[in-house]
Amino acid sequence: MRRLVTPVLALGWLFWATAAHAGWDSLGAMPAPERQGDALVFKNAQGIVSVQAVASDIVRVRFSPTTAFGRDHSYAVASRDLGPAEARIEVGAARSSLKTAALDVSIRHDPFRIAVRDAAGHPIDEDDPERGIGFAGTQVKVWKKLSPDQYVYGLGEKNGRLSKRGPHWGGATYVMWTTDAYDYADDTDPLYVSIPFYMVLRQGRAHGVFLDNTHRSVFDVGHESTDRLAFGAEDGELDYYLIYGPEPKRVIDRYTALTGRMPLPPRWSLGFHQCRYSYYPESKVRFIADNFRERRIPADVIWLDIHYLEGYNPFTWDKQRFPDPKQMIADLRGRGFRLVTIVDPHPKQQPGSWVYDSGLKADAFVKNPDGSVHAAPVWPSNAEQDPGPSVFPDFSKPAGRDWWGSLMKFYTDDGVAGIWNDMNEPAVFVDPFHTMDLDVRFDNEGQPSDGRELHNVYGLLNTRASFEGLLKQRPDQRPFVLTRATFAGGQRYAAVWPGDNQADWGALRASLPMLMGLGLSGVSFVGSDIGGFAKAPTAELVTRWMQAGVFYPFMRMHTEVGSPDQEPWSYGTRHEAINRRAIELRYELLPHIYNAMHEASGTGVPALRPLMLEYPEDPRTLQIQDQFLFGADLLVAPVLHQEAAQRSVYLPQGDWYDFWTGRRLSGDTTHRVAVSLESLPIFVRAGAFVFRQPVVQHTGEMPGQPLIVDVYPAASSEARLYEDDGESRDYLKGVSLTRRFVQKRAGGAVSIAVGAAEGAWRPSARELRLRVAWPGPAAPRRVRLGSLPLPAPPGGWAPGPDGFVTVQLSDRFDAFELTIEP
Ligand code: GLC
């Protein structure tokens, strides 16, 4: 691991830094290109380049310093069928161009430079005039212009600022090399996930760039020189996609159309998760479950870390510690808990064991260059009894993935609800690089290659195999997989947690830009270890982390082996009460959270959003990373500093409401908010609908609960609410429920129209409770349902002391309109 900005150690990096330009050959002059469909193909003695309109808003550039392109294959890309390109192509002597409805790509032949403008002529992306595309040995790279008004975001799971140019435009260099980074600091790079994708925002207009190359890659964002952004890889093709917005949300939508989207998670996985390294034996697990229920702290999932295994070997149960896992899991289910188990991709090399033997038979393991099975030490080498090295599934081989997938039956037969894939960078206990020897051989889907090419996608392909295996075992249920390592496109298979963070304030603060960066890079189901993994947090830090974690899409508490107890009740009664309240809030908001996750599954736009995603035109949002939006409507400003008595909150333009008091606040300004340990500052955008329910102890208690809809009036606004059974895959066949909610303010009255239900699913009988933040100076006089006046309080409607007017109806799923009159 190295630190951001001050690179010293990482393999290969030194070369990049010192050889920033010296030693690189430039592509030089190109003769006029050949047209091939929607592409222009250029060739000279140094290489081949194709510039292709994949769709009207997506351009793909491919360069190889050879005479021909290799196999057109990608582990990241899910679909290239992204709509018509309808490119108009012109070939000239000095310049050629490729124009679509959205983009104008102009290519100068000598020296070879690409410049992209939008249809209105705004520059989007331009090769650096001096450098452009270059190569050095097997390395490929492109230098692009970086202007002072360009902000850069994304790059997946990264430490440092949300804005990747750094705080003072000093720039930074980011390496893509999945790395086991135990106890990482808030400036360590690289970490576990590699996503070679960034987004540029310039004066409200955004585009994205995705480098589809799995080798170690490097992104220099204004670091080596402030006016250049350079990226490239150690080997393979310079194969990148330029994705036009102009809205940043549109960039994510299109990037995830290309690399795939998170499937809708099971609803239970959006509840609270309790983990530690490790809960054992069985009596301890039951004790933890009892505590949650008896202390009335909601939770859905308990996790088992490596101590449930026999000698840390996956696909075993330590029968001393867990004599009857099936019964234990059934008992937990009876109390509304699910169990997730860790499953590391390193079975022990143990002739005679069913996993190892069946893997050998399926020829499913990574090989040494001499063809023997590769073995190396990981957890099973640390076993107290009979330690031994591990072997590693070759997930780049379809038969290897199938084999691994079939092993999921071991867990599903016992009723395990989800799979936790850790150590899949892959991590190996061999210094100094802590990963497999890079000369090992992979199948690479039929074109054998080595660790240099496959390392970065090992985690992605591991989760693909787990996900597909779970789906095969339980075809009617949504698989749940959590991973530590992944690559671009990994959102299709697993949620991500950023590994072994520290139990300190810096790590809490760093989690926000890191998780938002993942979201901007297509990975929306994310959450850091609450309380911090390495070392022990203070009570105050845990409580602040729990409050921020309410809005992590994945909300899990976890800590390392040997640390003190780290459960919501481990810090005294005052903290227990505040931690409970935070988790209760999570459960109250689950209808809203589920709705936002559904949106993410359909558009790629994450639930946890930086402000710049919703307000790209507002320069004051561009670098905010200590507050965020959840969906478009909730602005959350968690307290991130020890003993804080206040914090400042920037509210963008428009009107806002304090979530807790209903008080109105004006936007376009920074507010100072007084805080106590109990405070979790949340603000609601005027025009919002917030979908809630009463507190439940777990998601199994949701059926029959009232649906509460808090309406925050603006001149007019609308929202959609999505619901389904939360668990099955029937929603893919339309078994779901979507309704449109519209509100309008006119002449002092507020009207709320609820549209007819779409889709074939209906919840069990329940109440619909509409709560309207009444803007009038005095209580309303009349509430009408259609033309029918509702009985005055205390019958049909009621003004509350908090300024909200509440109307209770039975939820009937037909269209209706409610009017509240002054
Ligand atoms: C790794 C994981 C951590 C886990 C531990 C033991 O350090 O990141 O979450 O608890 O391994 O399995």
Side-chain angles (χ1 to χ4, degrees):
M1 282 160 278
R2 63 180 186 81
R3 303 290 191 217
L4 281 171
V5 184
T6 46
V8 251
L9 258 180
L11 181 79
W13 158 251
L14 216 49
F15 181 78
W16 274 78
T18 49
H21 190 54
W24 286 85
D25 283 321
S26 165
L27 189 53
M30 280 286 184
E34 188 186 305
R35 184 185 171 152
Q36 293 180 6
D38 285 322
L40 287 169
V41 179
F42 299 83
K43 278 183 198 168
N44 68 10
Q46 291 163 302
I48 174 168
V49 183
S50 106
V51 183
Q52 180 201 354
V54 176
S56 64
D57 55 351
I58 300 182
V59 174
R60 180 182 182 193
V61 176
R62 243 179 124 182
F63 159 66
S64 171
T66 58
T67 50
F69 292 120
R71 170 176 74 151
D72 193 4
H73 169 271
S74 172
Y75 291 111
V77 167
S79 168
R80 289 203 194 102
D81 190 7
L82 302 168
E86 285 165 3
R88 283 165 288 130
I89 287 183
E90 280 171 29
V91 174
R95 256 177 208 284
S96 299
S97 70
L98 197 147
K99 289 187 181 135
T100 68
L103 295 173
D104 176 349
V105 184
S106 160
I107 305 146
R108 195 166 80 195
H109 301 173
D110 181 17
F112 187 81
R113 299 286 182 267
I114 303 173
V116 182
R117 292 175 175 268
D118 68 13
H122 298 113
I124 305 288
D125 174 275
E126 286 172 77
D127 284 354
D128 178 69
E130 280 171 41
R131 300 189 185 175
I133 292 175
F135 58 98
T138 61
Q139 300 182 87
V140 289
K141 190 166 175 176
V142 62
W143 284 263
K144 292 185 172 289
K145 266 199 203 170
L146 187 62
S147 63
D149 58 355
Q150 285 182 315
Y151 289 74
V152 180
Y153 303 94
L155 297 172
E157 183 186 83
K158 287 294 171 199
N159 260 312
R161 314 276 307 178
L162 177 73
S163 155
K164 298 300 171 205
R165 294 181 76 168
H168 309 297
W169 267 211
T173 300
Y174 305 87
V175 174
M176 300 300 164
W177 186 251
T178 60
T179 300
D180 177 7
Y182 169 72
D183 195 19
Y184 62 87
D186 56 14
D187 60 354
T188 304
D189 187 79
L191 297 177
Y192 308 87
V193 168
S194 296
I195 305 185
F197 168 80
Y198 64 85
M199 185 193 292
V200 177
L201 183 59
R202 181 186 207 173
Q203 297 185 352
R205 287 184 302 277
H207 75 274
V209 173
F210 167 48
L211 172 65
D212 192 9
N213 182 318
T214 64
H215 292 86
R216 178 194 297 270
S217 59
V218 177
F219 289 73
D220 173 337
V221 185
H223 187 202
E224 188 239 329
S225 90
T226 48
D227 57 357
R228 290 195 188 102
L229 187 159
F231 64 85
E234 269 189 1
D235 205 337
E237 292 174 8
L238 183 79
D239 181 359
Y240 71 90
Y241 295 79
L242 186 139
I243 301 161
Y244 179 62
E247 303 82 14
K249 285 204 244 179
R250 170 86 184 162
V251 173
I252 304 179
D253 183 335
R254 297 298 281 161
Y255 167 68
T256 55
L258 179 70
T259 59
R261 300 192 174 115
M262 166 196 72
L264 185 60
R267 193 165 53 196
W268 60 263
S269 68
L270 300 175
F272 182 71
H273 300 253
Q274 182 66 41
C275 187
R276 84 157 288 131
Y277 174 14
S278 310
Y279 288 128
Y280 68 92
E282 177 179 324
S283 58
K284 178 76 182 197
V285 175
R286 290 180 186 271
F287 172 80
I288 294 293
D290 289 345
N291 268 273
F292 275 103
R293 294 296 179 251
E294 264 149 43
R295 292 170 188 271
R296 305 289 291 166
I297 299 174
D300 265 79
V301 191
I302 297 178
W303 291 56
L304 296 189
D305 206 325
I306 53 175
H307 287 95
Y308 81 88
L309 298 166
E310 201 176 84
Y312 307 137
N313 188 18
F315 309 100
T316 62
W317 286 98
D318 180 323
K319 289 287 176 147
Q320 300 279 310
R321 292 169 178 168
F322 294 94
D324 190 352
K326 199 173 194 158
Q327 188 61 48
M328 176 187 75
I329 291 170
D331 291 349
L332 288 171
R333 275 300 282 126
R335 308 186 65 196
F337 285 102
R338 285 179 166 82
L339 191 89
V340 172
T341 50
I342 198 166
V343 184
D344 291 333
H346 51 228
K348 188 173 165 190
Q349 186 174 40
Q350 189 177 31
S353 81
W354 67 278
V355 174
Y356 178 69
D357 287 354
S358 69
L360 271 188
K361 202 164 147 217
D363 194 17
F365 297 127
V366 172
K367 307 263 180 62
N368 292 312
D370 68 4
S372 58
V373 168
H374 180 73
V378 207
W379 291 126
S381 290
N382 285 7
E384 294 79 21
Q385 284 171 19
D386 196 20
S390 291
V391 290
F392 303 85
D394 184 353
F395 299 111
S396 72
K397 180 175 186 169
R401 290 200 292 270
D402 285 349
W403 168 74
W404 176 266
S406 73
L407 302 181
M408 294 303 122
K409 189 169 186 313
F410 177 83
Y411 292 101
T412 53
D413 278 355
D414 279 339
V416 168
I419 294 296
W420 175 16
N421 285 151
D422 186 22
M423 305 294 278
N424 49 5
E425 291 70 31
V428 167
F429 298 160
V430 178
D431 287 334
F433 299 118
H434 226 68
T435 194
M436 255 184 236
D437 189 315
L438 297 183
D439 288 329
V440 293
R441 303 300 296 170
F442 288 89
D443 174 74
N444 191 25
E445 296 193 342
Q447 187 167 299
S449 185
D450 63 14
R452 290 169 191 81
E453 184 167 0
L454 277 302
H455 173 91
N456 273 339
V457 286
Y458 195 79
L460 168 93
L461 295 172
N462 172 206
T463 60
R464 176 172 172 185
S466 299
F467 181 93
E468 290 172 354
L470 285 176
L471 199 53
K472 220 173 232 171
Q473 296 303 326
R474 292 193 290 233
D476 53 343
Q477 280 182 41
R478 305 174 201 174
F480 173 78
V481 179
L482 179 76
T483 190
R484 195 168 69 173
T486 196
F487 187 74
Q491 63 269 12
R492 306 199 291 270
Y493 310 116
V496 168
W497 102 102
D500 301 342
N501 59 355
Q502 297 175 343
D504 69 20
W505 292 88
L508 165 59
R509 288 190 283 273
S511 75
L512 296 181
M514 190 181 294
L515 299 178
M516 289 191 273
L518 276 161
L520 291 172
S521 312
V523 185
S524 40
F525 199 6
V526 293
S528 302
D529 284 347
I530 292 176
F533 178 77
K535 309 188 184 78
T538 61
E540 183 189 0
L541 176 60
V542 165
T543 289
R544 289 308 189 196
W545 214 317
M546 194 69 91
Q547 292 167 338
V550 169
F551 295 97
Y552 286 175
F554 172 63
M555 186 185 188
R556 185 184 74 156
M557 194 169 209
H558 183 38
T559 180
E560 70 179 334
V561 70
S563 69
D565 287 353
Q566 192 164 314
E567 286 92 32
W569 56 83
S570 305
Y571 305 89
T573 48
R574 179 171 182 214
H575 285 274
E576 177 177 340
I578 305 172
N579 296 341
R580 176 193 295 109
R581 185 64 201 109
I583 299 174
E584 285 179 348
L585 176 63
R586 172 79 176 197
Y587 278 82
E588 278 180 45
L589 288 172
L590 268 183
H592 199 85
I593 293 170
Y594 192 60
N595 200 38
M597 293 305 278
H598 175 258
E599 183 189 343
S601 73
T603 63
V605 176
L608 178 71
R609 300 178 189 170
L611 271 65
M612 49 69 59
L613 197 52
E614 291 288 337
Y615 300 92
E617 314 264 0
D618 177 353
R620 277 189 286 178
T621 66
L622 301 182
Q623 300 199 72
I624 292 180
Q625 57 183 28
D626 63 348
Q627 55 182 76
F628 55 84
L629 293 156
F630 192 90
D633 295 327
L634 297 178
L635 187 148
V636 186
V639 179
L640 304 170
H641 290 271
Q642 194 173 354
E643 289 174 15
Q646 57 172 15
R647 73 152 290 169
S648 60
V649 183
Y650 176 66
L651 298 180
Q653 76 208 38
D655 286 331
W656 295 83
Y657 293 82
D658 183 314
F659 175 80
W660 300 104
T661 63
R663 191 165 74 94
R664 270 163 81 110
L665 295 143
S666 44
D668 201 18
T669 184
T670 299
H671 297 263
R672 284 221 159 270
V673 186
V675 298
S676 67
L677 190 59
E678 283 76 9
S679 309
L680 169 53
I682 304 172
F683 304 88
V684 188
R685 197 179 57 82
F689 293 81
V690 179
F691 302 102
R692 296 192 297 120
Q693 65 179 359
V695 172
V696 292
Q697 295 303 307
H698 58 87
T699 53
E701 288 183 352
M702 283 174 71
Q705 294 295 331
L707 172 66
I708 304 171
V709 183
D710 292 345
V711 186
Y712 294 84
S716 75
S717 66
E718 66 168 85
R720 290 174 84 79
L721 175 66
Y722 173 87
E723 299 174 85
D724 62 21
D725 67 25
E727 211 174 318
S728 80
R729 288 166 48 87
D730 294 349
Y731 73 97
L732 295 168
K733 296 177 238 138
V735 186
S736 60
L737 164 63
T738 304
R739 281 182 291 179
R740 187 161 165 252
F741 291 72
V742 179
Q743 70 78 38
K744 286 198 180 77
R745 250 180 98 171
V750 176
S751 69
I752 296 153
V754 180
E758 298 159 30
W761 185 78
R762 296 289 177 271
S764 40
R766 70 179 182 193
E767 189 180 279
L768 175 62
R769 214 177 278 168
L770 286 157
R771 292 176 74 248
V772 183
W774 176 245
R781 280 187 309 117
R782 207 158 69 127
V783 176
R784 282 188 291 117
L785 179 61
S787 59
L788 184 77
L790 286 179
W797 64 276
D802 53 2
F804 280 81
V805 173
T806 304
V807 181
Q808 298 189 190
L809 307 163
S810 81
D811 198 355
R812 289 193 354 211
F813 314 107
D814 46 6
F816 69 89
E817 183 161 338
L818 197 78
T819 312
I820 307 177
E821 295 168 348

